[in-house]
Amino acid sequence: LVQELNSGLDQAFSLSVVEDLRVAFLGRKGKLAQIMQRLPELSPEERPEVGKTANIVKGKLTGLLDECKTKLENAAEADKLAKFDPSMPGRMPWQGSLHPITKVMTEICDIFKGLGYDIVTGPEVENDFYNFEALNLPPEHPARDMQDTLYVTDNILLRTHTSPMQARTMLKRKPPLAIIAPGKVYRRDSDLTHTPMFHQIEGLLVGEKVSLAELRGTLTAFLQEVFGPETKVRFRPSFFPFTEPSVEVDISCCMCGGDGVVDCKPCRVCKQTGWVEILGCGMVDPEVFKKVGYDPEKYTGFAFGLGVERVAMLKYGIGDLRMFFENDVRFLNQFI
Ligand code: PHE
């Protein structure tokens, strides 16, 4: 049997052949088992001797099979290694990157953190009270139409701006306070330059004797930090129901540098005006202080709100708002 197996194994070039041989020799109906079946035919004196021999044969067969199996496995491994070319260039793993909106939000929040502001966040599904009423926008106020509100029910809506965080913060804390509230906002609006969801960052600072000059200094320093120290900043009178006076802020155009011309062509970013609008702000209206129980004789404050997509477009020279929402990796990969 041992010789027979040996010559069988000489021809075995794959593991499956070795397995077939194992079954043929050592299996339940294999050659050895067949011999053992005939043990009762022998005389009682012969049986122990033959049984012992059979056991020795079984050990030898097992040894031969195992040895051959190991040899084949080692050969396969060596073959694999021989085909491996360590000089081949590796495959670059995909590397994730932060979305440009996330990057700009983080950068802006970090600047205000450095100025001592706390970061706060709140719900995107908001009550009419926080989004409008507490901000001096009573029902029927015409300025509510400016906002293209998406309603959930009569009283519940998707926040149209981050300004509800002003009311939420003031109802929770006592002055002095300084907070920054980043987040998503929603409006019923969709065209080339508007998306139904976008991002805003709200700022609010309340204390005693806070002045418009401080608002101006804070925002100028902030905008020059984001857009570069050469950036010019302009303040224009405007209107918001929750600030008085209200101001809109422009920065000198990042594309043409403020002279209205790029490469001898009229600048499209600022429409040749040299300025681009960047945020809305103002001194907190005393009516808002009354709604949250602050004494408007004692406290003054300023608030501002800016669109993150707008900042990102100007900062990175992105011409099409839709790129932020398409999630094309060729676009996103540029913001590692
Ligand atoms: N909430 C205003 C908007 O969405 C921006 C703003 C915030 C204006 C704070 C003044 C003060 O347009």
Side-chain angles (χ1 to χ4, degrees):
L1 274 184
V2 173
Q3 259 168 24
E4 200 186 328
L5 178 63
N6 239 334
S7 58
L9 286 174
D10 278 347
Q11 311 291 318
F13 297 114
S14 80
L15 287 169
S16 70
V17 174
V18 176
E19 176 61 15
D20 289 347
L21 286 170
R22 194 190 62 76
V23 173
F25 282 80
L26 292 173
R28 223 159 21 92
K29 291 178 186 157
K31 291 176 195 286
L32 187 63
Q34 278 167 28
I35 290 168
M36 294 300 279
Q37 250 168 23
R38 292 174 56 196
L39 217 55
E41 292 170 23
L42 298 174
S43 67
E45 300 82 57
E46 285 171 317
R47 277 180 219 165
E49 193 60 32
V50 173
K52 221 166 113 194
T53 313
N55 262 335
I56 294 170
V57 169
K58 188 180 176 186
K60 281 193 174 161
L61 295 177
T62 309
L64 283 172
L65 285 160
D66 286 351
E67 190 188 320
C68 186
K69 199 174 157 199
T70 314
K71 221 162 59 191
L72 282 172
E73 280 169 351
N74 286 347
E77 186 66 17
D79 195 45
K80 235 202 262 170
L81 280 176
K83 285 190 186 129
F84 174 70
D85 179 357
S87 70
M88 287 256 285
R91 250 174 266 151
M92 252 319 193
W94 281 83
Q95 196 190 346
S97 58
L98 289 178
H99 194 280
I101 296 301
T102 310
K103 277 190 72 152
V104 170
M105 284 224 269
T106 312
E107 185 189 342
I108 293 173
C109 287
D110 283 349
I111 292 171
F112 281 102
K113 247 194 263 175
L115 294 172
Y117 287 66
D118 293 330
I119 314 288
V120 297
T121 55
E124 293 167 24
V125 180
E126 191 49 287
N127 297 322
D128 182 280
F129 174 77
Y130 293 110
N131 197 80
F132 290 129
E133 189 95 41
L135 297 170
N136 199 26
L137 272 140
E140 314 307 325
H141 192 290
R144 284 192 178 206
D145 299 344
M146 286 172 24
Q147 304 258 3
D148 294 309
T149 311
L150 286 157
Y151 281 94
V152 178
T153 70
D154 274 357
N155 265 312
I156 301 172
L157 44 82
L158 300 184
R159 66 179 179 189
T160 57
H161 49 182
T162 40
S163 301
M165 289 313 291
Q166 290 188 32
R168 283 186 175 272
T169 306
M170 288 191 281
L171 282 167
K172 236 188 266 163
R173 302 191 189 185
K174 296 215 158 341
L177 61 85
I179 57 108
I180 283 289
K184 292 178 165 66
V185 301
Y186 301 83
R187 292 187 194 177
R188 211 182 65 225
D189 208 350
S190 183
D191 60 35
L192 268 183
T193 54
H194 296 89
T195 47
M197 183 279 286
F198 61 103
H199 299 79
Q200 282 192 339
I201 293 183
E202 193 82 9
L204 172 71
L205 181 142
V206 183
E208 287 176 43
K209 301 195 178 74
V210 176
S211 71
L212 189 63
E214 278 157 285
L215 169 60
R216 199 175 158 168
T218 303
L219 291 181
T220 304
F222 157 66
L223 290 168
Q224 287 177 342
E225 184 80 29
V226 175
F227 291 103
E230 307 299 315
T231 310
K232 291 193 278 294
V233 184
R234 177 171 90 169
F235 293 75
R236 285 182 287 108
S238 182
F239 172 79
F240 299 103
F242 32 92
T243 46
E244 181 59 35
S246 298
V247 179
E248 271 174 321
V249 181
D250 300 333
I251 54 169
S252 50
C253 179
C254 326
M255 193 52 71
C256 62
D259 60 15
V261 183
V262 230
D263 299 333
C264 305
K265 288 195 199 91
C267 181
R268 278 191 293 159
V269 172
C270 62
K271 301 193 187 77
Q272 267 184 291
T273 59
W275 297 96
V276 285
E277 189 189 316
I278 193 75
L279 58 82
C281 62
M283 302 306 292
V284 180
D285 195 304
E287 287 303 318
V288 175
F289 281 149
K290 280 189 215 160
K291 296 260 187 202
V292 298
Y294 281 12
D295 179 359
E297 298 298 325
K298 185 168 177 202
Y299 296 112
T300 53
F302 61 72
F304 54 87
L306 91 170
V308 181
E309 277 78 0
R310 195 168 170 72
V311 173
M313 285 174 86
L314 292 169
K315 193 175 158 71
Y316 297 120
I318 297 163
D320 188 341
L321 176 67
R322 292 168 298 183
M323 297 193 121
F324 291 124
F325 303 96
E326 283 166 353
N327 287 332
D328 185 329
V329 281
R330 291 167 300 179
F331 171 72
L332 296 177
N333 257 338
Q334 298 176 68
F335 301 92
I336 298 277

